[in-house]
Amino acid sequence: MQRPVSSLPLSQAVRLKLGSAGFQLTSDLQDFKPDKLSKETGLSEEEAVEVLKAVKGGGGGGSGDFSASLTALELLQKEEELRSIVTFSSQLDESLGGGIPVGKITEVCGVPGIGKTQLCLQLAVDVQVPQCFGGVEGQVMFIDTEGSFLLQRVTDIAAAAVRHCSLLAEDDEQRAATETFTVETVLSNIFLVRCHDHVELLAELHLLPDFLSQHPKIRLLVIDSVAFPFRLLFDELSQRTRLLNGVGQQLITMAINYNISVVITNQMTTRIRDGQSHIVPALGECWGHAPTIRLLLQWEGSRRLATIFKSPCHMETMVQYQITPEGFRDADQSEMPQSKQPRMDTDQSAADPKETSS
Ligand SMILES: Nc1ncnc2c1ncn2[C@@H]1O[C@H](COP(=O)(O)OP(=O)(O)OP(=O)(O)O)[C@@H](O)[C@H]1O
């Protein structure tokens, strides 16, 4: 299967050199070795290696084949085969048509403490629910950029999910599945990487396709959060936008090529428009095109609300949820007393005149 060289996740300069040397399709590059490609194109050998890696991972053949030439019917059948990852909030799952979709990017935005990380931890467990319980039975790669992956919390959420499934088990198949769906196996199926800045994150994303090829059971990639590592680039907007565009491209390619659900969290930021301050997702409007689905978690008084505010196939819906000791769940009807209501102080975050992440 072939793909235009111009669509590979390479820098503009490298793509230009390939184009001027006459390389238009990935199939033109398949039989090349780095030294020969370097001679023919004027690229350095390191750049040639990058090009060949991109061809291998993104459409030149093999398991990472880009599905550019699939028909719409084949794509539909492929989508129907992929199950969504349940959130353990039945209302949110229903609004999302079954849960967080595999093969797409879902962004979770919200103010600090609203439950973005809790949802990610819940999904890291839920993606492992055995197929006989309607789950995806996959593994997860969790990229933690904020240090918010708390082992005790994951263990609690895993224990609750394991308990939930064993209570639901009705037939022999389900009873057998609960033998292997244990807290230990859940924890052993979460691959955790800690990235401290955007350079480490970019390096990790660069290595990820190889890791995904070696671990074909991975169905979920979490990046919690994508905004935090880029905070130091707030003054270099064009560089940040360029890097983020590359990240968006890489994530889309990985979601499609490896049939994984990509879930990223994003912080909120204050924007001044028409003399009024608004709380909007960070990283700018351009970044907003990368996720297929954007979920906004927000407070309304003491209630936690999840709104699907961008999706090509769902209505804009709002559901109520809660964070319990067991994890992310549907809200119960009893409201917290007014005194316990958390407050969102938008003025507090106005320290940076341009854009302030909160
Ligand atoms: N064991 C628990 N039982 C009940 N609620 C909990 C528990 N652990 C965490 N929470 C709730 O989850 C909230 C923290 O959510 P989370 O860490 O997901 O926030 P976040 O949106 O990721 O914030 P940030 O942007 O700062 O990372 C806590 O304020 C608390 O309300």
Side-chain angles (χ1 to χ4, degrees):
M1 200 175 291
Q2 57 192 15
R3 174 183 169 185
V5 168
S6 57
S7 69
L8 291 174
L10 298 167
S11 73
Q12 180 76 358
V14 170
R15 276 186 277 140
L16 267 178
K17 279 191 186 169
L18 288 169
S20 20
F23 293 99
Q24 300 299 333
L25 298 170
T26 49
S27 52
D28 302 336
L29 291 160
Q30 262 167 23
D31 300 326
F32 272 84
K33 294 269 179 291
D35 53 341
K36 194 163 170 239
L37 183 62
S38 160
K39 252 186 227 152
E40 291 238 352
T41 55
L43 293 168
S44 69
E45 284 211 17
E46 289 77 29
E47 287 172 325
V49 170
E50 290 310 308
V51 171
L52 296 175
K53 260 195 198 164
V55 170
K56 193 168 149 243
S63 60
D65 258 359
F66 206 67
S67 44
S69 69
L70 288 183
T71 65
L73 180 63
E74 285 166 330
L75 270 177
L76 179 69
Q77 286 161 348
K78 194 177 154 200
E79 281 207 0
E80 281 171 356
E81 278 167 24
L82 301 172
R83 291 188 177 175
S84 299
I85 305 169
V86 291
T87 62
F88 273 40
S89 156
S90 55
Q91 288 182 15
L92 185 57
D93 290 344
E94 202 177 309
S95 310
L96 287 165
I100 303 289
V102 172
K104 297 191 170 64
I105 304 180
T106 304
E107 183 186 69
V108 183
C109 320
V111 295
I114 191 65
K116 303 182 292 295
T117 300
Q118 302 301 311
L119 177 54
C120 291
L121 299 179
Q122 182 73 59
L123 291 169
V125 171
D126 297 353
V127 71
Q128 304 183 42
V129 169
Q131 286 190 4
C132 55
F133 286 102
V136 169
E137 206 172 317
Q139 295 177 317
V140 52
M141 164 58 94
F142 200 109
I143 301 180
D144 177 19
T145 67
E146 296 187 346
S148 45
F149 185 95
L150 298 179
L151 201 49
Q152 186 53 52
R153 187 65 183 131
V154 190
T155 310
D156 291 348
I157 293 173
V162 165
R163 221 169 25 245
H164 180 77
C165 284
S166 50
L167 287 174
L168 284 182
E170 281 178 344
D171 54 31
D172 287 349
E173 190 188 7
Q174 290 184 333
R175 272 188 286 274
T178 55
E179 308 255 306
T180 48
F181 185 58
T182 63
V183 174
E184 286 73 24
T185 53
V186 168
L187 296 182
S188 68
N189 282 325
I190 302 177
F191 300 100
L192 181 66
V193 176
R194 178 90 170 89
C195 292
H196 298 87
D197 55 33
H198 73 278
V199 178
E200 285 188 11
L201 178 60
L202 294 175
E204 183 54 40
L205 292 179
H206 187 70
L207 297 173
L208 210 49
D210 282 345
F211 190 82
L212 293 173
S213 300
Q214 288 156 17
H215 297 83
K217 284 193 78 184
I218 292 184
R219 291 277 82 82
L220 172 66
L221 164 66
V222 175
I223 306 179
D224 182 27
S225 79
V226 81
F228 193 68
F230 286 94
R231 71 199 181 283
L232 298 176
L233 292 178
F234 278 151
D235 289 334
E236 297 158 64
L237 281 184
S238 63
Q239 189 194 357
R240 194 186 73 173
T241 307
R242 210 174 49 247
L243 291 175
L244 281 169
N245 281 344
V247 169
Q249 282 288 336
Q250 279 175 301
L251 295 179
I252 292 167
T253 307
M254 280 190 268
I256 297 171
N257 287 6
Y258 295 94
N259 288 335
I260 54 170
S261 170
V262 177
V263 173
I264 50 184
T265 64
N266 192 359
Q267 298 161 345
M268 302 299 280
T269 193
T270 307
R271 276 276 160 76
I272 310 293
R273 203 178 290 148
D274 303 329
Q276 290 202 321
S277 77
H278 300 267
I279 303 262
V280 296
L283 300 179
E285 283 177 20
C286 200
W287 168 256
H289 297 294
T292 320
I293 295 171
R294 298 187 99 183
L295 260 183
L296 175 65
L297 306 186
Q298 61 191 323
W299 292 108
E300 190 190 73
S302 62
R303 303 193 305 160
R304 294 181 203 252
L305 300 177
T307 308
I308 304 170
F309 73 102
K310 178 194 167 191
S311 167
C313 49
H314 304 105
M315 305 270 286
E316 184 169 319
T317 2
M318 189 183 276
V319 299
Q320 196 182 338
Y321 68 94
Q322 60 174 337
I323 310 289
T324 70
E326 286 76 35
F328 194 91
R329 295 289 186 277
D330 280 327
D332 60 15
Q333 297 311 308
S334 55
E335 300 269 309
M336 268 197 285
Q338 202 70 18
S339 59
K340 285 198 180 168
Q341 283 183 16
R343 288 179 190 283
M344 187 167 68
D345 186 354
T346 55
D347 294 339
Q348 191 190 326
S349 52
D352 182 339
K354 263 182 271 148
E355 187 181 72
T356 313
S357 56
S358 49

